[in-house]
Each structure stands twice: as C-alpha cells, then as structure tokens.
Amino acid sequence: MTQRLYYLDSYLRSFEASVVERAEEGRRIYLDRTAFYPTSGGQLYNTGQLDGIEVAEVVDEGERVAHFLVEPLVSGPTVLGELNWPRRLDHMQQHTGQHLLSAVLADLWNYTTTSVHLGELTSTLDLDTPQLSSEQIAQAEERANQIIAENRPVTVTFADATTAAGLRKPSSRSGTIRIVAIESLDRSACGGTHVTATGAIGAVLVRKLERVRKGVRLEFLCGIRAVRRSRMESAVLSNLAAELSSSVDELPRVVANQRADVKALSASKRELEAELSRYRAQELYASAQPDPAGIRRATVRLPGGELNELRGLAQAFADLPRAVFIGSIETPPSVLLSAAPDSGVDAANVLKRTVSLAGGRGGGSSTMAQGVLPGRAQLEQVLSVLEGAK
Ligand SMILES: [Zn+2]
C-alpha cells in the first residue's frame, strides 16, 4: 500500500522514497510513499521527476499509486521524487476554488453541486438548479473573492464517516474519511490537494453558464489561470476597440451602431437590387420580339452561381405583360421559369414536366418555378423545349 504524503502535506514538493516494485521494464514504478497525486476525485495527476526521469502520468490503483515514466528507472532502491510545482499549485488553486464556489452557491441559495470537472484548461461544476441569473453569478463570484481576500484557513482532518458532522454533501464512503474545511464556510469529504488558506486561491473567475440535462454548468478559472484568461480577453477587447477606433468602454455602443448601420444598408441594397432588376427586365422586354401569340421571352444564362441570383430579375420580367423568363445556371445545372399570369404559361406545370422528362426534378408556383438537372446535356435539352414552350 502506497503511503500518500499529499494527504497530510499538500505543499511537499520533493521527497525520498524506496522503490518497492518495477514493472514494464522499469517504466511503471511503485514506491513505499509518494507526493505525486494520481488522477482521482475529479482532480488531474501530477507530473515531475523520479531521480531525474520524467513522470508522464500517475494512476490510482486503489491500494497503490503507479508512476509511469518516459524511460526506465535504473537507480534505487532509494529515489528522489520532485513535483512539477507550477502544475500542482495550479491544480490546488482550481480545487480549493471549486470547494469555495460550491460552498458559496450552497450558502447563498442552497444550490447543490452535483458534479465537478477540473480540467487541463478550464473547470466546471454542475448545479441542481434549472437556472442561474447573471446577477447571481456576479454575486457568487464576488462573495468567493471576498472570502479569498479574508484569507481563511483551509484545514484537513480525518473522521469516521458515520460520525462526521456538518458535511456540505454526505459522503458515500465508509470508515475513515478525509475532511477539507474552509473556516466558517465549508466541510467537504475530499481526497484532493488543497491550498492551506483561501488567499492562495488568488482569484475566482466565472466565465460561462450552460444548460445541461438536469441543471446548469458553470465554467470557472482560479488563480493564475483566471489572470491569464482575463489578460487574453482584455487583449481581444483592446484589439477590437482599436479596430473600431473606439475604447473598450465604448464598444457596446459602437457595435450596436454598426449593427444598425448594416441593417439599414442591407435594406437599401435590397431596394436598389429590386430597382435594378426592374430596369434590366424592361430592357430585356424591349429587345424581345413577341411571338405570333404575343408572348415575349427572355433567356439569361449564368456559367455558375445560384438560381436565387436570378429570381429578382425573373420576378420583375414576369411582372410585365405576356412575359416569360427562362434563367439557367450551367454549374450546377439548374433552371428557373417565371411567367406573367396573362401569358397562358403555368410555370410549375411546364417546368415540372420538362425537367422530369430530362431526368431532373423541380417545382414551384404558376408564376415561378425552378428545377435541377443531372447534367449539362439535359439542361440544354430542357432550355430548348422551354424557349419554344407555349
Ligand atoms: Zn474536492
């Protein structure tokens, strides 16, 4: 059974231990005692070195802790273990910060933390409430940071599971449990590594709220991570502000104005396009010779693009007396037919029939219809029929 030194001293960065077993040609090492935390209880493993060899992963095997090394350990029987301290301290900040945030949320509104994930980049906790307002998030974040500023002691004690009192959440374990307490706020059964006073958490920053199946999920960052993230977001905001010749504080107003401008410009663009279509339609109409039945036809072919680009013109042309408009795109092969109500041509009927004879499919209304064809040859076939359609 491996003695877990981190249970009693989470600030132990280096230690001496005896090798009790070497497996996988010396790459999987078991020690009599260790300060390396193995992945468990939602907290990630530590990295570092054993006699100068990199520890790539640490796994909890129940009784024992396995250290996976990047190359075989040949020294011993006594080895020197050294933790990658920035990584370990970061994990301690996230974990104690999570206890603090969960305790504050329970304290303020009785919300229960149902699950926790402490990740490499961000951490999350799930709450058993259907919603959490942004005011509540701000309030909980502020309360947590006040308690950080108060630098309350965080202590570790051991008690029997049956007699342990005042736990935020009942423990499912039996026998001796480890209790991590934040003074006058929280007592939680936990095997993780923690800072010894709330001040060492540094800061708590809640970033995102997301709805999950049975409640909400809060994403949060603590300590240096929170500062780095804020720095990054601050840089994004500064760049955006510079891009818009504004200040960060003015951004919401400037962006709202720009959105309104874009909306107005889009509306005026649509109007101008409709007007242009009317002029083009009149031009095509004037140059089209009426057939013996008095119908004027115009055909517009585009090498590529979308039929939608022709719809405005098709509509404007079919608004003119006894007019029939045929539009086509060569790639992908597609065709559009519009017809004035007084032309005697039912666009949907004519197009559907012609297109399906050529192996394509299409449909629409009596004044506007469109279809797609399997290839260029079929498109040509359809166009020659439509151009002569009565
Ligand atoms: Zn914990």
Side-chain angles (χ1 to χ4, degrees):
M1 188 156 178
T2 315
Q3 187 193 349
R4 299 171 191 236
L5 300 169
Y6 54 81
Y7 273 165
L8 290 173
D9 184 1
S10 57
Y11 278 83
L12 187 65
R13 303 181 192 201
S14 65
F15 63 99
E16 280 196 346
S18 298
V19 177
V20 297
E21 192 188 326
R22 296 164 204 259
E24 293 168 26
E25 293 162 338
R27 290 170 190 269
R28 182 190 189 123
I29 298 297
Y30 296 90
L31 304 171
D32 61 342
R33 52 193 216 143
T34 190
F36 281 89
Y37 187 83
T39 298
S40 57
Q43 186 183 330
L44 285 166
Y45 63 92
N46 293 143
T47 59
Q49 298 180 331
L50 281 186
D51 267 0
I53 298 170
E54 289 297 324
V55 176
E57 206 190 336
V58 187
V59 173
D60 195 337
E61 296 182 350
E63 296 269 285
R64 301 199 297 176
V65 174
H67 306 75
F68 289 85
L69 310 190
V70 296
E71 51 187 87
L73 178 79
V74 289
S75 56
T78 304
V79 291
L80 174 68
E82 287 172 295
L83 297 192
N84 170 348
W85 185 246
R87 176 178 165 97
R88 167 60 163 280
L89 180 61
D90 170 63
H91 291 174
M92 283 159 52
Q93 287 181 318
Q94 311 312 313
H95 201 154
T96 313
Q98 177 266 310
H99 280 216
L100 171 60
L101 193 55
S102 288
V104 163
L105 289 159
D107 206 30
L108 289 172
W109 305 291
N110 250 327
Y111 295 154
T112 301
T113 297
T114 52
S115 73
V116 170
H117 171 75
L118 304 170
E120 292 275 3
L121 300 173
T122 61
S123 302
T124 58
L125 57 84
D126 291 0
L127 294 170
D128 68 342
T129 171
Q131 56 196 14
L132 191 69
S133 69
S134 48
E135 290 77 20
Q136 283 179 302
I137 291 176
Q139 195 184 337
E141 187 187 70
E142 182 142 337
R143 183 77 192 114
N145 282 291
Q146 276 166 359
I147 294 168
I148 287 172
E150 289 168 12
N151 202 26
R152 296 194 195 178
V154 177
T155 52
V156 170
T157 52
F158 294 85
D160 191 81
T162 51
T163 56
L167 294 179
R168 174 155 49 83
K169 213 172 147 185
S171 175
S172 55
R173 289 171 189 264
S174 57
T176 303
I177 55 169
R178 185 170 178 263
I179 299 166
V180 176
I182 301 174
E183 191 181 79
S184 309
L185 179 73
D186 187 46
R187 278 166 62 79
S188 290
C190 178
T193 55
H194 290 270
V195 296
T196 48
T198 54
I201 298 168
V204 171
L205 176 70
V206 179
R207 292 204 54 244
K208 268 201 298 208
L209 178 78
E210 180 186 3
R211 279 183 211 294
V212 287
R213 222 153 16 101
K214 283 182 178 167
V216 294
R217 175 167 297 166
L218 275 189
E219 187 184 301
F220 65 95
L221 300 169
C222 301
I224 295 289
R225 275 195 207 190
V227 175
R228 285 192 186 135
R229 183 72 215 185
S230 296
R231 164 97 330 258
M232 200 204 106
E233 290 180 355
S234 170
V236 169
L237 286 173
S238 299
N239 289 341
L240 281 178
E243 199 76 29
L244 297 170
S245 307
S246 156
S247 68
V248 168
D249 292 341
E250 288 284 292
L251 268 183
R253 192 184 55 79
V254 170
V255 169
N257 286 349
Q258 290 221 343
R259 284 175 60 118
D261 286 352
V262 168
K263 210 173 156 189
L265 286 169
S266 299
S268 102
K269 178 173 171 271
R270 273 196 302 277
E271 253 169 57
L272 289 168
E273 279 171 351
E275 201 170 325
L276 182 63
S277 291
R278 281 195 294 277
Y279 281 117
R280 285 191 65 198
Q282 274 158 14
E283 220 171 75
L284 283 170
Y285 191 79
S287 62
Q289 291 300 316
D291 70 4
I295 306 284
R296 295 191 199 221
R297 289 189 168 73
T299 304
V300 173
R301 294 173 172 231
L302 296 181
E306 286 182 37
L307 282 180
N308 273 344
E309 295 165 32
L310 289 171
R311 285 186 78 93
L313 180 58
Q315 186 65 60
F317 196 83
D319 282 345
L320 298 167
R322 317 201 75 183
V324 173
F325 179 89
I326 302 148
S328 75
I329 305 277
E330 287 174 9
T331 321
S334 42
V335 61
L336 177 152
L337 179 68
S338 67
D342 63 0
S343 65
V345 173
D346 183 314
N349 276 351
V350 172
L351 183 116
K352 226 170 167 173
R353 193 177 61 232
T354 322
V355 163
S356 49
L357 276 175
R361 57 198 165 76
S365 70
S366 61
T367 55
M368 175 89 75
Q370 62 186 66
V372 289
L373 283 310
R376 282 284 296 280
Q378 291 87 344
L379 176 65
E380 293 305 329
Q381 182 191 331
V382 165
L383 288 176
S384 66
V385 173
L386 291 180
E387 280 164 3
K390 297 280 177 309

